[in-house]
Amino acid sequence: ALLQTQCCTRRDHFTDPHKHLVTNYWHYGILEKTDVFAKGFTEKTGLPFELEYTNLSPTPSKIALTTVQTDKFERLHTTDLALYHKLSENLAVSA
């Protein structure tokens, strides 16, 4: 269940994946804010950068999860969700 965070930050070796990511990674982003990722990359390198493909649907559908499904998802992905929310906050401040 922690595969995403483990692949991204080697969570199996660090107790705080967010701290490890912002301390050791040169650049990072989240899928919902690819424009912020591209802008930051351009600012750091001085090179124009655009993502050719963004994984956004023009009309995102709403997935109706039951309370049981939501609880299970949140329980299985607690660390991933915490990292996602911290990164979202960081990117909102830096945008």
Side-chain angles (χ1 to χ4, degrees):
L2 301 174
L3 182 60
Q4 295 90 341
T5 304
Q6 286 179 353
C7 290
C8 179
T9 64
R10 297 296 312 252
R11 185 191 176 282
D12 51 330
H13 295 286
F14 304 98
T15 57
D16 186 346
H18 177 259
K19 180 180 178 184
H20 176 71
L21 184 81
V22 298
T23 303
N24 295 289
Y25 281 58
W26 178 73
H27 193 62
Y28 56 86
I30 58 175
L31 288 176
E32 292 84 359
K33 298 185 180 189
T34 55
D35 57 329
V36 175
F37 176 86
K39 179 182 174 195
F41 188 89
T42 297
E43 289 172 356
K44 288 179 180 178
T45 63
L47 301 170
F49 179 76
E50 288 185 32
L51 295 168
E52 293 181 29
Y53 174 77
T54 57
N55 195 18
L56 297 175
S57 134
T59 54
S61 62
K62 299 288 181 189
I63 299 172
L65 298 175
T66 66
T67 303
V68 172
Q69 290 170 322
T70 301
D71 291 346
K72 184 174 184 177
F73 179 84
E74 289 175 353
R75 187 177 71 254
L76 291 173
H77 296 283
T78 301
T79 305
D80 297 323
L81 290 169
L83 177 60
Y84 170 82
H85 290 299
K86 284 183 179 180
L87 292 176
S88 294
E89 291 170 12
N90 288 1
L91 295 171
V93 169
S94 66

